[in-house]
Each structure stands twice: as C-alpha cells, then as structure tokens.
Amino acid sequence: QVTLRESGPALVKPTQTLTLACTFSGFSLTTSGVCVSWIRQSPGKALEWLARIDWDDDKWYSTSLKTRLTISKDTSKNQVVLTMTNMDPVDTATYYCARTLRLGLEYYFDYWGQGTLVTVSS
Amino acid sequence: DIVMTQTPLSLSVTPGQPASISCKSSQSLLRSDGKTHLYWYLQKPGQSPQLLIYVVSSRFSGVPDRFSGSGSGTDFTLKISRVEAEDVGVYYCMQGAHLPYSFGQGTKLEIK
C-alpha cells in the first residue's frame, strides 16, 4: 500500500527557510521510473508544481521558484525533503508531495499525501 | 512556461446529466513518443487531488467509465456522461509535456 505523508512547521516567519519532509512507504525511490514531486495550493487557488526528484537523483524545479528551492532524498529513510528559502506571505499554501511515475515520457502523480498547511506570517 | 486555460470555471449540473470541461494549452502537448501529455485530476472537497485521466484519454485505475477525455494538440475536453453526486469537486487539467508542469485554474463542479 502506497502512502505519503508531509511534515513540517505550520507557521514560519517571513524571510525564514521552510523545510518540509515527505515520508513515504509502499515503494522505493531507487526503483527505475519512480520519482517524487512537490505541489502546492494557495488558499482557494489552483495547484502549482514546485519540484521533482527522480530515482537517479535528477532534480527539476519550477522556473519561477528554482532559485529558492532545493529538493533532496534520503532513500534509507524513505524520505524526500524540500527546502524553500526567503519565505513570504504569498507562499502560504498547502504543500503536497506526490509519487510521480515515469512510463516512457509520461510522468503522472498517482498517489498524493494529505498535504500540510504552511502559513507565513510574522 | 506553458499556460493552461480551463473553461468554464464553475459548473452546476443536475444528477444524471452530462458535463463537459474544456482545457487549452498555450503550446502543443505532443511529445516525440507520439503521445499528448495532458492529464486530468479531480480534487474532491477536503481531499488531495486524484488522477482521473492520463495522456488525454486513458482512464486511471478505478476511474468510472462515465469519465472520458478527448482532444489533441492544444485543445482538450473532459466529459462526464452522467454526473453523480460523488463527482463534485474541482477538476484540473495539467500538462506534463514540458517542465515545469502546469495546471489549469480549475473547474468547480457542483450538483444542482
């Protein structure tokens, strides 16, 4: 059974760095074609893809946020970590991690965590 | 970056009636594998998004056959043949053809 769970602070102050962890089970991030992505959703807004890390440790980022984002994995812990620097109130959102499967050139998010709400406020 | 535009942004449908959502991309989503990388997700109230349709028209595991996807190039449609109460939520199209991935604004489906 595939599960993902996001964890991290519920509240961060402006200019601080946010660190979120995605702890998963039911699959391995060493298996070819398996990736994990981070997606966020500001209150009442649409989904925004942030980053993806692949089984071979390739990393991909949102164009607009790539200078602030770092994604990494710890396969021994079955964990993917996302850091976002210089947080701003506009970064207030629910942050989701999702298993991302590659089939050929197809990449799709087949399992999602329940999301974690991060509020940026002083 | 590719911009995804959905219409309408909201939809109110009587149970048993059909529903249709349009999605347009600012660039072609056709890749060198010959497939068009357009996906549909549904976010039910209070839940995480779930995959409905991949590569335009393939239903994901467990998705009822009342859901169908069609389209090509830059124009796509999600159809629900007979809406049921459990179909309420926000529907998002997403392009997976080019990084960064991008989603449409979402279409909120309500039941009359």
Side-chain angles (χ1 to χ4, degrees):
Chain A
Q1 180 189 2
V2 173
T3 65
L4 302 99
R5 178 173 50 88
E6 304 88 351
S7 60
L11 179 66
V12 296
K13 291 180 167 45
T15 75
Q16 287 186 336
T17 294
L18 171 68
T19 299
L20 295 173
C22 173
T23 305
F24 57 85
S25 63
F27 67 94
S28 172
L29 202 37
T30 61
T31 301
S32 179
V34 176
C35 319
V36 170
S37 294
W38 284 94
I39 299 116
R40 72 179 179 180
Q41 185 172 37
S42 300
K45 298 290 181 62
L47 300 164
E48 180 183 14
W49 177 81
L50 300 176
R52 190 187 89 205
I53 189 164
D54 298 352
W55 72 98
D56 57 2
D57 211 35
D58 274 348
K59 299 161 188 173
W60 311 90
Y61 296 101
S62 158
T63 305
S64 58
L65 293 170
K66 62 182 177 182
T67 59
R68 300 173 53 207
L69 294 174
T70 303
I71 192 169
S72 62
K73 62 183 171 75
D74 185 333
T75 52
S76 65
K77 293 182 179 179
N78 278 354
Q79 205 170 66
V80 171
V81 172
L82 181 77
T83 62
M84 181 181 292
T85 60
N86 194 24
M87 292 292 285
D88 183 272
V90 301
D91 297 313
T92 293
T94 296
Y95 288 76
Y96 296 98
C97 61
R99 187 176 79 162
T100 309
L101 285 188
R102 173 185 171 178
L103 289 179
L105 295 182
E106 302 170 33
Y107 288 84
Y108 54 87
F109 314 131
D110 63 342
Y111 288 93
W112 296 60
Q114 85 280 9
T116 185
L117 176 62
V118 177
T119 301
V120 184
S121 175
S122 54
Chain B
D1 297 359
I2 295 178
V3 176
M4 305 297 290
T5 304
Q6 287 180 233
T7 55
L9 298 185
S10 65
L11 206 46
S12 183
V13 181
T14 300
Q17 293 300 302
S20 180
I21 300 169
S22 173
C23 174
K24 295 183 188 297
S25 59
S26 60
Q27 297 177 34
S28 174
L29 303 185
L30 178 63
R31 291 293 308 274
S32 57
D33 60 357
K35 298 179 182 179
T36 300
H37 293 251
L38 185 281
Y39 302 80
W40 290 97
Y41 290 85
L42 165 61
Q43 186 172 30
K44 295 184 177 181
Q47 296 185 17
S48 304
Q50 60 189 79
L51 177 63
L52 292 178
I53 302 283
Y54 59 101
V55 291
V56 179
S57 59
S58 297
R59 276 188 301 277
F60 190 58
S61 173
V63 174
D65 61 7
R66 64 179 181 275
F67 289 93
S68 64
S70 62
S72 63
T74 62
D75 291 318
F76 307 96
T77 302
L78 176 70
K79 291 183 178 176
I80 310 172
S81 58
R82 294 174 304 279
V83 170
E84 297 187 5
E86 65 180 23
D87 300 336
V88 298
V90 182
Y91 291 79
Y92 294 96
C93 61
M94 190 206 88
Q95 68 84 14
H98 305 283
L99 285 168
Y101 304 134
S102 46
F103 293 87
Q105 317 96 300
T107 296
K108 186 174 184 178
L109 175 66
E110 298 176 328
I111 298 295
K112 279 185 183 173

